[in-house]
Amino acid sequence: MKFERYGIGILKGMTVTIRHLFRHPTVNQYPEQRLNVSRRLRGNELIWNRERCTGCATCAKACPQGAIELVTATNLKDNKYDVTTYRVDTGYCIQCGLCVEACPYNALFMGYSYERAKYRRGDVVQTNDELLESAERPASGYYHPEIAEKLPRQTLLVERITEKRKRK
Amino acid sequence: MTVALSSREIASQLSSKFPGAIEAAGNDSVLVKSDSLVQVAAYLKDTDGLKFAYLNYITAVDYYSYFEVVYQLTSLEHNRSVILKTRCYGRDNPSVPSVTSLWQGADFQEREIYDLFGIKFEGHPNLKRIFLWDGFPGYPLRKDWNQ
Amino acid sequence: MTTTQEMTLNTEPFVVNIGPVHPSTHGVFRMRCKLDGEVVIDIEPVFGYLHRGIEKLAEERTYTGFIPLTDRLDYISPMSNNLGYCLAVEKLAGIKVPERAEYIRVIMAELQRLANHCVAVGSMLNDAGAYFTPFMYTFRERERIIDLFDMVCGQRLTYNYMRIGGVSQDIPAEFLPALEKVVKRLTKFLKEYERLLKQNEILLARAKGVGILSKELAINCGISGPVARASGIKWDLRKADPYSIYDRFEFDIPTGENGDCYDRYRVRIEEMTQSLRIIEQASKQIPGGPIKADLPHIIYPPAGEVYAHIEAPKGELGFYIVSDNSIAPYRCHVRPTSLINLAALRQMVKGWKIADLILIFGSIDITMGEVDR
Amino acid sequence: MAIIDLVINRRLSLAALPPDWPGNNYWWHWLFFTIVLIAFVLVMVMGAIYIERRAMGRMQSRLGPNRTGPFGLLQPVADAVKVMLKENIVPDNADKIVHWLAPVIAFAPVLMIFAVVPFQNGALLADLNIGILYIVAISSISTVGVFMAGWSSGNKYSLLGAMRNVAAVVSYEIPLVLSIVGVVLVAGSMSLNTIVLKQDIPFILLQPLGFLIFFAAACAEINRSPFDLMEADSEIVAGFHTEYSGMKFAMFYLVEYAEAIAMSAIITTIFLGGWRGPLLPPWLWFIVKTFIVFFVMVWTRTTLPRVRIDQLMALAWKFLFPLALINLFVTAVQVLVWPDALPWTAVYINIAIMIILIFLWSRFFKLGWGRVEI
């Protein structure tokens, strides 16, 4: 240890820290203060659209984790497949979004919600109607720009700080 | 741009130096007999004009009938690279000479291959399993490994 | 008469396990250290606490399906892993990537380098004992970069953004203005950060001349990235073997002289400046057009083998893929930057104190996800 | 009842004996103020914890604790409750009795320091005429507790931490005492009350070098950053209190902050003029000054990296010790020249000497030797 600069480096560093004392902190108080998340958020749960789904199982093939299970029955009257079971094990899901990208009929969306933790292990396996879109489970704009446009703009940390300064 | 050195050129240079050491020369790789691997590698490493002093990685591939151990060497001076390969046969006790005497960086990677493929590296100073625990059944990266 | 042997106090070295649960082993790294008082006599790294068998998993997934798993290799810089893997598959299948996608990839990879070096520098200084301040500052800046990643791909840690033949989605309209702000902000931040610690006497005393890695040893151990460059090896794959479109940008390769901890810290800071330069150039030149080559979701690359490497933030990250013309790789080997960078740790720490051991280890900047895979 | 009567009677009979022996009321006075003092120290510690966490948070561009109570003021209380409710874990290999005793031994001396610190003129528990000697003697007893903790835990990290602490305290005691001696020479008394009364010019100006040495040595003694090697969390996890939990950990936590407050109080008393100051009441001046000194400690902790153990030793022996000796010599000469009171001229001279000395020592002495060949 040699004080080649007689402690000037230490003093310089101390001015930086003391300056931060008078700056606004960058953190925000989460449950009360919420920032807008990304429009393309790959949130907790998949959203499934029953009307558009044809039961082609492209999503199940694309899933690297094998979290999607699909059972179809032939509907000879309408000449199509009926999806009898659409089951997603969200415990296995890694939110990669490959299923959404793979779906040729835009029947699958990533979830836009992020506070969907479950208390029981059984609850993480979701079947059929549990996967439909609802008010608490909105669809995210991931791979679907038309949805993304309608969602609120993401709060960016860079802009947030500069805005705050301007107001003052 | 790192130029992959024409392997045929190198192979001919090597086979004149070490007759019988080179099994074959593919498009981008030189297949070396495992007995003479260390000599060939040392030659590539130290000879002026070649100076393949940098060992990028070592890995192994299981082709059922044999294991192929792949060494990629780079010459930082001349910005060229070459791939050395060697094969070992038999699934019970395959072995390849270790290059740790030439490259210290080979240490962990050879241990990894030993751990996951079961290929023994003769002359390795500390050949123990690296990721899995001792007594783990089988070698997971082999194609016939079954949980 | 007593001999000197009897006169001196008989001491014997003792063994301390540092890790796998320890505040500064960057995950679950474990060192079995032999200590003589405070002096490290010998260490033996022990790995495997985070081994998930990613190479085996790759053999059971489609080529595209492996991309999300590459995020989990070096989880500090997933974009670079994505890029490395995609480049390897593209090289294997001979796919041409559209121009716009190349630019987006470069911007992402450089932002990732900034984010990674933020973590590396911050946690190294934290290991040096600066009580979380440099760490907090760099993580604050990393947050701004992660905001951008969040904007384009919807995740903050496991991005899964690159695809074989391009990127998954086009960047949104608000991305480039935000990028400009982030670049401006980071330039300012780097200046402030230099003021905080560049000339700090205690940091100089702790890091200068400590943990010297000689050039010869670095080459012999296959060490790459900022650690190698700090030892004076002017070797950067972006210049030496330009992948993607790195040959179009102007930037320098910062190198150190002594190869000590301080040089590694400096090289990282300099690299951040260079990354900002690249981003500025790329964001100006970025053209329009498609962002992904026209490919089916499941591809069948021709049989063969390929090795593609990139200059990831931690060093040379390579993917060695053997294909047998099926939907999944026959063998996918990851060249683990972090594991190979640890090869010289033993020589570097011998004879130093425990405090130095922690600092030297921190200055190598490893991620356990990549070491154990 | 009989026992109480007996005690009181004994007291009365004792009081009759020597003429300078404390009188009957003395014991009640003593007990009352001891309790007041302990309460005061605990409240000060709470304030210190709050200040440290908030100020450090803001310096690191965070908020710090702000949930419990208004502005998070009740955070120390919440911490205390949490830590008391925690399970008390004693390791299997621990030396149980020593392990149990260590926090107590570490805690008691810190409270005892406050007995001689004057809060305003004459307001101190015991106006010892050897006050400073008492402080020096008492403050290093904590080390015994720390070493007991480190040894008895049966943990190598703890042992390393304890060894570091002993080494640091033994080394830093010397510059610490030498820098105090300079003050004592100037003040001409060892009683802290008298020292404060003599500070018409605060001793920080008369003894600038002494102040710097004392501050550095005090930081090292109470293991505040950058000298917090004993509990270096990035190296040896938590040093000597790695194996402590629950109330026993709380004791060590308390010791850490109580020591910091005690050292701040001592620095306030002997360098910053103690309770003296305009406008505000004396005790408030004292508290304000103490917290200012404490804030500087927090500030350095936020900014600086930790030094290494050999550098710590070298700093004590090669840097602070010779400077403290020179400082003592210079002060002695000055006291000889100006026997009554040091004038303002001495302030300029001393500051000049300080700058020259620091310049010279920075030039010529290299601290720390680094690597050991194996």
Side-chain angles (χ1 to χ4, degrees), chain C residues 28-54:
Chain C
V28 285
F29 184 65
R30 174 176 162 209
M31 292 176 264
R32 198 181 289 139
C33 304
K34 210 185 214 183
L35 302 179
D36 177 16
E38 291 266 345
V39 181
V40 179
I41 299 176
D42 199 3
I43 68 153
E44 185 196 343
V46 182
F47 311 102
Y49 293 91
L50 202 64
H51 179 62
R52 297 150 297 177
I54 283 201

Side-chain angles (χ1 to χ4, degrees), chain A residues 1 3 14 17 23 29 32, chain D residues 58 63 67 303 362 367:
Chain A
M1 190 176 187
F3 282 91
M14 305 236 325
T17 39
R23 282 190 202 165
Q29 301 280 297
E32 292 96 37
Chain D
R58 288 303 294 270
L63 277 172
R67 288 308 174 104
T303 316
S362 307
L367 307 177

Side-chain angles (χ1 to χ4, degrees), chain A residues 65-125:
Chain A
Q65 293 297 91
I68 301 175
E69 189 187 338
L70 201 89
V71 181
T72 51
T74 42
N75 184 345
L76 291 173
K77 207 165 64 190
D78 299 342
N79 193 20
K80 64 167 192 174
Y81 284 115
D82 277 344
V83 182
T84 51
T85 317
Y86 194 90
R87 182 182 294 142
V88 179
D89 190 339
T90 28
Y92 275 112
C93 179
I94 54 174
Q95 272 100 35
C96 64
L98 287 179
C99 48
V100 178
E101 283 171 42
C103 184
Y105 302 103
N106 290 347
L108 207 55
F109 307 91
M110 297 305 292
Y112 189 63
S113 50
Y114 52 88
E115 285 173 325
R116 305 283 296 162
K118 301 284 189 297
Y119 287 96
R120 285 185 182 76
R121 236 157 219 286
D123 294 349
V124 300
V125 183

Side-chain angles (χ1 to χ4, degrees), chain A residues 1-3 6 10 13-14 17-18 20-21 23 25-27 29 31-32, chain D residues 55 58-59 61-63 66-67 295 299-300 303-304 359 362-363 366-367:
Chain A
M1 190 176 187
K2 196 169 179 185
F3 282 91
Y6 327 111
I10 290 177
M14 305 236 325
T17 39
I18 200 77
H20 274 83
L21 195 63
R23 282 190 202 165
T26 19
V27 291
Q29 301 280 297
E32 292 96 37
Chain D
R58 288 303 294 270
M59 283 188 206
S61 80
R62 303 183 277 124
L63 277 172
N66 62 344
R67 288 308 174 104
F295 177 77
W299 185 14
T300 51
T303 316
L304 300 180
F359 180 80
S362 307
R363 266 269 165 282
K366 192 177 185 318
L367 307 177

Side-chain angles (χ1 to χ4, degrees), chain B residues 1-2 28-29 45 53-64 68 70 72 74-77 79-80 83 85 100-106 108-109 111-112 116-117 126 128 130-132 140-145, chain C residues 32 44-49 51 55-56 59 217-225 233 235 237 239-243 305-307 309 316 320 322 329-331 333-336 339-340 342-344 346-347 371-373:
Chain B
M1 199 82 182
T2 311
D28 48 3
S29 59
K45 186 188 172 199
Y54 188 84
L55 175 68
N56 283 49
Y57 65 94
I58 307 176
T59 186
V61 189
D62 180 6
Y63 287 110
Y64 289 104
E68 196 167 75
V70 184
Q72 174 154 354
T74 302
S75 159
L76 300 185
E77 271 174 43
N79 202 354
R80 290 188 294 199
I83 294 179
K85 286 181 177 175
T100 38
S101 52
L102 297 173
W103 289 285
Q104 203 192 322
F108 291 146
Q109 300 179 60
R111 273 177 71 188
E112 184 190 329
L116 304 176
F117 280 95
N126 183 24
K128 290 191 297 192
I130 184 168
F131 294 147
L132 303 168
L141 274 183
R142 284 189 181 182
K143 286 283 171 185
D144 54 3
W145 184 76
Chain C
R32 198 181 289 139
E44 185 196 343
V46 182
F47 311 102
Y49 293 91
H51 179 62
E55 290 177 8
K56 188 76 182 173
E59 294 171 11
L217 186 64
I219 293 176
N220 193 269
C221 289
I223 284 167
S224 54
I233 305 167
W235 181 257
L237 290 174
K239 287 266 194 210
D241 186 9
Y243 53 91
E305 54 185 66
V306 76
Y307 175 74
H309 50 190
E316 177 186 344
Y320 174 79
V322 181
Y330 182 78
R331 167 97 174 94
H333 173 71
V334 187
R335 181 201 189 271
L339 178 70
I340 298 175
L342 281 176
R346 195 153 159 254
Q347 274 100 324
V371 173
D372 290 345
R373 278 163 292 143

